[in-house]
């Protein structure tokens, strides 16, 4: 069984969409990544930090899915990272109403000894210095280091971000971020420029328009499954990353052909994530539903054509 180390936030989210709103619920990048990865035969652990205000039932939701939380630091008297946001009618844009770093402000991750030889490391969206600190703690070079980032770090910690990008294998970002990072409007040219920074593979997420996978000589496109309803897009990108990383850790194969499958698995799981508020849908997901939707993905993209 492959080992997957997940670094990111375990958080409180409060979400408002045109379909309703929530009070504080379980969220955070590491939460979504871990829940998605738990759908595969993989030994996974979370490195994160929370306050003692995080309910025990939330921790139990993770451990019940065999996710190791021994490296989830719980600060006595501390408060858990909190984000509140409101989505516009198109669900593609949102306003951040509240961001409280709380315990995350002083987060100094410690990789557990049992996972410093992990096969795959999934670095969720955090300060690049934190991400690099995790890489430097690994006993041996992981087979695959996957990094997710965002435009905030490009605006505020670009030098640190460029340094950590030198040490990774896969960069996952959205189309807007790829353009900002490289100064290229063409996503093909953007990917080519990212290769000069260090990564061997680039995944560019395009939301409801699917995802692109690049290496230096090949391109693969995976559509997003057309859905009747999208309820809450929060965590969809992290769910995609968790499915992507979880499949690769379980299959122990980082070839381009296998990464194509990983992109499909990530897209498949992300299609469930958006159907309910927060992580609710991922917590109720079963393997039968996942297989059935994978068949839908296959039908969506499979066709016969005569080539002259």
């Amino acid at each position: 069984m492959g080992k997957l180390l997940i670094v990111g936030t375990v958080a409180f989210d409060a979400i408002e969409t045109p379909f309703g709103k929530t009070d504080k619920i379980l969220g955070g990048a590491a939460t979504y990544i871990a829940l998605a990865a738990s759908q595969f035969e993989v030994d996974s652990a979370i490195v994160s930090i929370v306050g003692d205000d995080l309910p025990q039932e939330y921790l139990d939701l993770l451990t019940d899915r065999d996710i190791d939380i021994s490296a989830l630091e719980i600060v006595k008297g501390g408060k858990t990272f909190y984000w509140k946001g409101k989505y516009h009618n198109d669900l593609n844009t949102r306003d951040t109403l509240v961001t409280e770093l709380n315990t995350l402000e002083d987060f100094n991750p410690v990789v557990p000894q049992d996972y410093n030889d992990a096969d795959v490391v999934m670095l969720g969206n955090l300060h690049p210095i934190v991400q690099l600190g995790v890489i430097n703690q690994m006993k041996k070079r992981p087979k695959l280091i996957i990094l997710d980032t965002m435009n905030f770090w490009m605006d505020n910690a670009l030098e640190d971000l460029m340094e950590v990008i030198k040490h990774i294998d896969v960069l996952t970002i959205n189309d807007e971020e790829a353009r900002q990072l490289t100064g290229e409007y063409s996503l093909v040219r953007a990917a080519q420029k990212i290769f000069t920074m260090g990564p061997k593979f680039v995944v560019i997420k395009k939301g409801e328009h699917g995802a692109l996978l690049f290496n230096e000589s090949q391109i693969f496109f995976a559509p997003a499954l057309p859905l009747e309803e999208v309820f809450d897009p929060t965590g969809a990108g992290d769910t995609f990353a968790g499915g992507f990383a979880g499949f690769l850790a379980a299959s122990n194969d980082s070839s381009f052909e296998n990464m194509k499958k990983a992109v499909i698995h990530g897209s498949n799981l992300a299609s469930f994530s958006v159907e309910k508020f927060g992580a609710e849908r991922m917590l109720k997901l079963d393997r039968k539903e996942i297989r059935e939707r994978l068949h839908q993905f296959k039908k969506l993209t499979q066709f016969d054509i005569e080539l002259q």
Side-chain angles (χ1 to χ4, degrees):
M1 186 182 293
K3 281 187 179 180
L4 171 64
L5 181 69
I6 300 161
V7 185
T9 53
V10 175
F12 286 125
D13 287 344
I15 303 160
E16 183 175 349
T17 78
F19 309 107
K21 61 182 180 179
T22 72
D23 292 322
K24 287 184 177 180
I25 58 174
L26 178 63
T31 301
Y32 287 105
I33 292 167
L35 290 174
S38 72
Q39 297 297 335
F40 304 94
E41 296 298 322
V42 64
D43 182 3
S44 63
I46 288 176
V47 177
S48 191
I49 188 169
V50 296
D52 59 6
D53 56 341
L54 193 78
Q56 181 63 39
E57 66 183 279
Y58 286 174
L59 301 176
D60 293 342
L61 290 173
L62 299 172
T63 56
D64 287 349
R65 286 156 181 79
D66 296 322
I67 299 163
D68 189 320
I69 61 168
S70 60
L72 176 61
E73 183 182 354
I74 302 174
V75 179
K76 189 173 182 180
K79 290 187 176 182
T80 301
F81 175 75
Y82 171 53
W83 176 83
K84 181 177 182 179
K86 180 178 181 179
Y87 287 88
H88 296 191
N89 286 335
D90 63 1
L91 293 178
N92 289 320
T93 53
R94 71 185 185 192
D95 298 321
T96 293
L97 305 178
V98 179
T99 301
E100 296 176 3
L101 293 176
N102 297 328
T103 53
L104 191 64
E105 193 165 7
D106 300 314
F107 181 37
N108 184 22
V110 178
V111 174
Q113 190 171 351
D114 289 345
Y115 287 86
N116 64 14
D117 61 348
D119 302 293
V120 177
V121 174
M122 179 67 233
L123 299 170
N125 176 31
L126 287 170
H127 196 293
I129 289 177
V130 173
Q131 295 173 323
L132 188 60
V134 170
I135 294 172
N136 290 337
Q137 290 180 56
M138 302 306 291
K139 183 172 66 175
K140 64 176 184 177
R141 179 53 162 87
K143 295 175 183 176
L144 210 59
I145 301 175
I146 306 166
L147 181 141
D148 189 34
T149 191
M150 65 183 298
N151 47 17
F152 179 83
W153 304 120
M154 297 173 200
D155 292 334
N156 297 283
L158 182 60
E159 187 176 335
D160 295 325
L161 178 59
M162 296 301 289
E163 180 61 31
V164 73
I165 285 175
K166 293 178 185 176
H167 300 274
I168 66 169
D169 302 293
V170 186
L171 178 65
T172 69
I173 50 177
N174 68 30
D175 46 0
E176 176 192 350
E177 292 157 352
R179 291 179 173 122
Q180 179 176 342
L181 182 63
T182 63
E184 297 285 354
Y185 182 80
S186 162
L187 296 179
V188 174
R189 288 184 177 177
Q192 290 169 346
K193 188 170 282 189
I194 290 169
F195 293 135
T196 68
M197 301 173 186
K200 303 178 186 72
F201 304 91
V202 178
V203 178
I204 298 180
K205 299 172 286 186
K206 293 169 59 64
E208 62 181 322
H209 302 298
L212 288 158
L213 168 69
F214 298 86
N215 69 7
E216 288 190 341
S217 60
Q218 297 167 286
I219 304 174
F220 174 69
F221 172 71
L225 191 69
L227 299 170
E228 289 185 20
E229 288 186 331
V230 176
F231 200 79
D232 171 24
T234 309
D238 294 315
T239 301
F240 171 90
F244 180 80
F247 176 80
L248 291 172
S251 58
N252 192 30
D253 179 355
S254 58
S255 66
F256 189 80
E257 287 301 310
N258 202 52
M259 282 204 184
K260 287 160 64 172
K261 298 176 186 176
V263 168
I264 295 294
H265 279 284
S267 298
N268 188 45
L269 289 169
S271 75
F272 288 104
S273 176
V274 301
E275 292 181 337
K276 297 287 185 182
F277 271 125
E280 180 183 351
R281 186 69 175 92
M282 299 305 295
L283 291 166
K284 296 179 179 178
L285 198 53
D286 63 52
R287 301 285 174 92
K288 183 181 177 184
E289 290 179 292
I290 294 171
R291 285 194 302 271
E292 288 174 351
R293 191 160 288 185
L294 277 173
H295 283 294
Q296 288 181 258
F297 263 99
K298 189 172 183 180
K299 289 178 182 177
L300 183 69
T301 56
Q302 195 173 46
F303 57 89
D304 293 316
I305 188 170
E306 289 187 19
L307 298 175
Q308 299 298 328

